[in-house]
């Protein structure tokens, strides 16, 4: 009881879930505030402590581990924040950027000897042993130093501004980490359209994610292990149950994204309408579909659909259920939001390898013709629409990659002209750890219309204009 009570007191005093003890009591469904005030005073029974604890977990869809993590974040922030601030010239306009560079790169060369001897080892251990606590502490430090008051005004606007500002700051420090930048844009897009409880905890959590995206190149890919992928083929095809082949019939192709980027684990969905014959397909809609995993009994199985429209993502959420015995996938949408992508209530998987019944055998032959014909072309076009990235590898043909201790050189055939693009490895820290075997592609990003050199397996991208260029 003592530990749970201490954690609850800390979370309530820090306004982690509500603007005041009274507001916290209301959020948990209490008619009065006396229960919460008794928690703060410590004059409470173990039964009531457990009751408040369980209500908190249920109300905010949390696991117990997260409450312990939040408590340690608050304690770490309390211990380290003043120690860190005394080392910084907070009158300098870029002191926050300098602090982030220190924390990201473990570079404390300009700090005081006493700080380097006593504090830095603790910071490094915290970062290594409990990264969620470390980056949560950094996110909370940023929120408080920016004096972000999320409980006054419109929370959604505050949240979006916070994510936008933090993403811009981190991107200015690490412009090569394009996956992290895109993930930050995605977080903001979700924040703009999602409905959740307004709280410091939610702001802190998103800030923690964004910081780890930039600090740890593998974190985006490891974080995506929460995605639940069904035992489907690489390409799977679906129809409304009982649908026989006919012109104008609707079908859905789900193509698992294997690009090994921030979108890894997503499905690209092609919504097709049959034409006048079995070889004619009309693409009516395309979007990405992400199935989120269920980690507790309180969780709802959610499928998130989105696509890029201009420079923003259009996002729609569905509840889903997959019956592996009947190979049926069920969707339901929130009537208040609407069925943005017009998904039917039920779709049925066509078994291409072992079709059953006359209708399924006909569909299997139809989809085989799709794969042999226009399928790949439509898929590649859809990838570009969804990600906002065009692959230019057929225009900028990579002939050689040369890496030395001092520079990276790309030999490209560009519109029939052989060119060398060269950049010092000290320009970006990740260049010192790559090798010629890492996959490289040349792309154009729709959001800024710039050409990039990308390492899709690592999540990095550098503008081609950052390289020195000469004809060979």
């Amino acid at each position: 009881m003592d530990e749970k009570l201490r954690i609850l007191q800390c979370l309530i005093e820090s306004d982690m879930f509500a603007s005041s003890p009274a507001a916290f009591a209301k959020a948990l469904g209490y008619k009065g505030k006396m229960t919460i005030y008794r928690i703060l005073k410590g004059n409470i029974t173990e039964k009531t402590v457990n009751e408040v604890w369980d209500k908190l977990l249920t109300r905010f869809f949390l696991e117990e581990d997260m409450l312990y993590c939040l408590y340690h974040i608050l304690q770490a922030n309390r211990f380290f924040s003043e120690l860190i601030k005394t080392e910084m010239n907070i009158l300098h306009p870029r002191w926050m950027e300098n602090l982030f560079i220190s924390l990201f790169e473990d570079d404390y060369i300009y700090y005081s000897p006493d700080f380097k001897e006593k504090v830095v080892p603790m910071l490094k251990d915290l970062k290594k042993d409990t990264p969620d606590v470390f980056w949560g502490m950094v996110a909370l430090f940023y929120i408080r130093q920016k004096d972000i008051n999320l409980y006054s005004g419109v929370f959604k606007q505050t949240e979006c501004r916070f994510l936008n500002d933090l993403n811009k700051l981190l991107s200015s420090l690490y412009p090569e980490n394009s996956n992290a930048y895109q993930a930050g844009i995605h977080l903001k897009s979700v924040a703009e359209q999602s409905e959740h409880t307004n709280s410091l905890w939610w702001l802190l959590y998103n800030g923690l994610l964004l910081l780890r995206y930039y600090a740890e190149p593998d974190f985006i890919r490891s974080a995506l292990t929460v995605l639940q992928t069904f035992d489907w083929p690489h390409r799977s095809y679906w129809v409304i149950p009982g649908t026989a082949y006919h012109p104008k019939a609707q079908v859905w192709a789900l193509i698992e994204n294997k690009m090994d980027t921030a979108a890894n684990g997503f499905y690209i969905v092609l919504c097709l309408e049959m034409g006048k014959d079995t070889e004619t397909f009309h693409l009516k809609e395309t979007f990405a579909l992400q199935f989120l995993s269920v980690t507790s009994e309180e969780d709802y199985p959610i499928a998130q659909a989105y696509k890029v429209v201009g420079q923003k993502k259009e996002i729609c959420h569905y509840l889903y259920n997959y019956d592996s015995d009947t190979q049926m996938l069920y969707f339901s949408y929130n009537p208040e939001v609407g069925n943005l992508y017009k998904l039917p209530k039920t779709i049925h998987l066509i078994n291409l390898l072992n079709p059953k019944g006359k209708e399924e055998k006909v569909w299997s032959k139809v989809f085989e013709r799709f794969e042999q014909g226009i399928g790949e072309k439509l898929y590649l076009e859809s990838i570009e629409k969804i990600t906002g990235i065009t692959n230019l590898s057929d225009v900028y043909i990579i002939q050689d990659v040369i890496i030395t201790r001092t520079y990276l050189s790309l030999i490209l055939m560009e519109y029939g002209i052989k060119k060398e693009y060269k950049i010092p490895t000290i320009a970006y820290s990740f260049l010192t750890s790559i090798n010629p075997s890492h996959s490289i592609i040349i792309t154009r990003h729709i959001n800024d219309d710039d050409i990039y050199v990308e390492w899709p397996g690592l999540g990095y991208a550098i503008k081609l204009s950052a390289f020195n260029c000469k004809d060979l």
Side-chain angles (χ1 to χ4, degrees):
M1 169 184 169
D2 290 343
E3 186 178 30
K4 285 186 176 181
L5 177 60
R6 184 168 63 252
I7 292 173
L8 287 173
Q9 289 171 335
C10 181
L11 296 176
I12 295 167
E13 290 169 350
S14 67
D15 297 335
M16 185 59 66
F17 294 98
S19 59
S20 67
F24 182 64
K26 184 177 180 181
L28 296 189
Y30 288 106
K31 294 182 179 179
K33 55 190 177 183
M34 291 311 299
T35 299
I36 304 306
Y37 279 106
R38 286 201 300 270
I39 289 279
L40 291 173
K41 292 179 181 178
N43 182 23
I44 199 79
T45 64
E46 182 176 357
K47 179 182 178 181
T48 305
V49 169
N50 290 332
E51 176 189 279
V52 173
W53 182 273
D54 292 340
K55 282 180 177 288
L56 176 57
L57 294 176
T58 302
R59 177 67 182 85
F60 290 91
F61 305 102
L62 297 169
E63 298 290 329
E64 281 195 322
D65 289 349
M66 181 54 70
L67 296 188
Y68 288 99
C69 181
L70 287 172
Y71 173 75
H72 290 303
I73 287 172
L74 290 165
Q75 296 303 308
N77 182 76
R78 184 176 301 170
F79 178 79
F80 285 111
S81 61
E82 290 305 317
L83 291 173
I84 291 173
K85 283 178 63 177
T86 57
E87 296 291 318
M88 307 301 299
N89 177 10
I90 60 176
L91 297 178
H92 193 285
R94 301 194 64 182
W95 75 272
M96 189 69 75
E97 287 94 323
N98 292 333
L99 172 61
F100 278 163
I101 291 172
S102 297
L103 298 173
F104 274 69
E105 301 178 15
D106 293 330
D107 182 2
Y108 301 97
I109 188 172
Y110 296 112
Y111 288 65
S112 68
D114 191 57
F115 186 89
K116 286 190 283 188
E117 179 185 354
K118 298 179 181 178
V119 181
V120 169
M122 290 188 289
L123 284 172
K124 289 183 177 180
D125 286 345
L126 187 66
K127 182 179 179 180
K128 177 182 177 183
D129 298 336
T130 52
D132 278 341
V133 173
F134 179 84
W135 293 113
M137 173 193 72
V138 177
L140 183 58
F141 182 86
Y142 177 85
I143 291 168
R144 289 183 170 169
Q145 293 308 306
K146 291 294 183 180
D147 197 25
I148 298 173
N149 188 352
L150 67 159
Y151 294 118
S152 64
V154 180
F155 177 83
K156 187 171 291 189
Q157 292 179 359
T158 303
E159 180 185 18
C160 291
R161 186 164 55 248
F162 160 73
L163 290 170
N164 186 63
D165 291 347
L166 182 57
N167 199 23
K168 281 186 175 181
L169 185 154
L170 295 172
S171 180
S172 70
L173 297 177
Y174 301 98
E176 72 278 12
N177 200 335
S178 61
N179 270 6
Y181 180 71
Q182 291 299 323
I185 292 176
H186 181 69
L187 282 176
K188 181 188 172 188
S189 298
V190 173
E192 288 174 334
Q193 301 183 48
S194 63
E195 297 296 331
H196 51 71
T197 304
N198 303 343
S199 64
L200 174 58
W201 127 255
W202 191 248
L203 203 69
L204 176 63
Y205 177 72
N206 279 325
L208 184 162
L209 286 180
L210 189 53
L211 286 163
R212 291 197 69 180
Y213 287 158
Y214 277 94
E216 304 167 34
D218 289 333
F219 179 67
I220 293 178
R221 291 193 294 276
S222 64
L224 288 170
T225 58
V226 303
L227 297 179
Q228 176 177 328
T229 55
F230 302 111
D231 185 19
W232 289 335
H234 178 54
R235 294 177 295 275
S236 58
Y237 299 93
W238 306 73
V239 300
I240 295 174
T243 301
Y245 165 77
H246 65 275
K248 294 190 177 299
Q250 288 182 299
V251 297
W252 289 263
L254 270 66
I255 305 170
E256 187 176 0
N257 190 334
K258 292 291 187 182
M259 293 167 59
D260 198 23
T261 67
N264 186 32
F266 287 32
Y267 289 86
I268 305 303
V269 180
L270 308 182
C271 304
L272 304 165
E273 182 180 274
M274 296 306 305
K276 60 183 179 180
D277 54 48
T278 58
E279 295 183 357
T280 306
F281 304 84
H282 302 296
L283 182 62
K284 310 300 289 186
E285 176 68 285
T286 183
F287 55 90
L289 191 62
Q290 170 190 3
F291 294 92
L292 304 180
S293 64
V294 177
T295 57
S296 71
E297 293 182 357
E298 289 79 19
D299 285 345
Y300 295 99
I302 296 175
Q304 177 177 276
Y306 77 84
K307 66 179 178 180
V308 174
V309 178
Q311 294 187 25
K312 297 184 68 176
K313 284 187 172 72
E314 282 190 351
I315 297 176
C316 185
H317 293 91
Y318 298 85
L319 296 182
Y320 75 90
N321 181 49
Y322 177 61
D323 188 330
S324 58
D325 293 331
T326 62
Q327 295 186 313
M328 299 284 189
L329 179 57
Y330 302 90
F331 293 103
S332 61
Y333 62 89
N334 184 342
E336 295 180 3
V337 177
N339 186 357
L340 181 62
Y341 292 102
K342 297 180 174 59
L343 284 174
K345 291 182 179 179
T346 310
I347 54 178
H348 170 59
L349 175 64
I350 300 299
N351 191 332
L352 300 185
L353 299 178
N354 185 26
K356 298 178 181 179
K358 179 181 178 181
E359 291 177 357
E360 194 163 294
K361 289 178 180 178
V362 172
W363 278 121
S364 67
K365 291 180 179 179
V366 169
F367 294 133
E368 285 174 5
R369 292 177 181 177
F370 175 77
E371 291 202 345
Q372 295 167 3
I374 199 173
E376 185 176 1
K377 179 177 180 291
L378 291 181
Y379 169 62
L380 293 175
E381 291 175 355
S382 299
I383 285 284
E384 294 179 5
K385 291 179 182 178
I386 290 167
T387 63
I389 298 173
T390 302
N391 191 330
L392 298 179
S393 295
D394 58 340
V395 177
Y396 296 82
I397 301 170
I398 300 174
Q399 296 195 328
D400 201 0
V401 179
I402 303 167
I403 301 175
T404 72
R405 291 184 178 181
T406 57
Y407 69 87
L408 163 70
S409 178
L410 302 178
I411 310 299
L412 304 181
M413 184 64 71
E414 181 180 333
Y415 296 101
I417 300 173
K418 194 173 185 178
K419 296 185 178 183
E420 180 186 34
Y421 287 88
K422 194 171 181 179
I423 193 170
T425 53
I426 60 172
Y428 298 94
S429 59
F430 82 95
L431 291 176
T432 60
S433 60
I434 64 172
N435 61 67
S437 66
H438 286 130
S439 174
I440 299 177
I441 58 175
I442 310 297
T443 63
R444 183 190 302 278
H445 289 203
I446 293 174
N447 64 336
D448 59 9
D449 201 35
D450 264 324
I451 297 171
Y452 286 79
V453 179
E454 297 205 35
W455 288 261
L458 302 176
Y460 292 117
I462 302 175
K463 288 184 179 181
L464 191 60
S465 59
F467 289 72
N468 293 317
C469 176
K470 69 176 182 179
D471 292 344
L472 296 178

